[in-house]
Amino acid sequence: MKLVYNDTNLEMCALKHYGSFEEIPYCSENEIKRLHIHNQWLENMLGKPRESEDWGIKYKFQWGEISSVYSPQTPESAIFIKWL
């Protein structure tokens, strides 16, 4: 878990699943596997997402949003919880 603050306000939380597959060597295939694990976990908890693209899924709420994202540039997958 990674917490991001703006001054003293919590702005974002990043979560990442570990443990179901080998992390070494670090590669985009493992990150895509992680993306699917994140997506499935969120769908089990929150239902079908409002937005679904190749890069991931997104849920929007009055207080903020939750997204599961894969970035091929890094390559990295994570779940982000952002507050407005």
Side-chain angles (χ1 to χ4, degrees), residues 25-70:
Y26 185 79
C27 69
S28 57
E29 289 178 13
N30 283 348
E31 289 303 310
I32 292 170
K33 288 178 189 175
R34 187 189 322 270
L35 173 69
H36 294 298
I37 291 168
H38 290 164
N39 291 354
Q40 187 61 54
W41 185 73
L42 286 175
E43 286 188 34
N44 289 344
M45 301 294 286
L46 302 172
K48 290 287 180 192
R50 288 184 178 227
E51 295 180 34
S52 181
E53 301 289 336
D54 291 339
W55 54 264
I57 59 176
K58 185 182 288 186
Y59 298 86
K60 292 187 178 184
F61 304 97
Q62 289 182 337
W63 53 264
E65 65 184 36
I66 299 174
S67 57
S68 169
V69 185
Y70 169 69

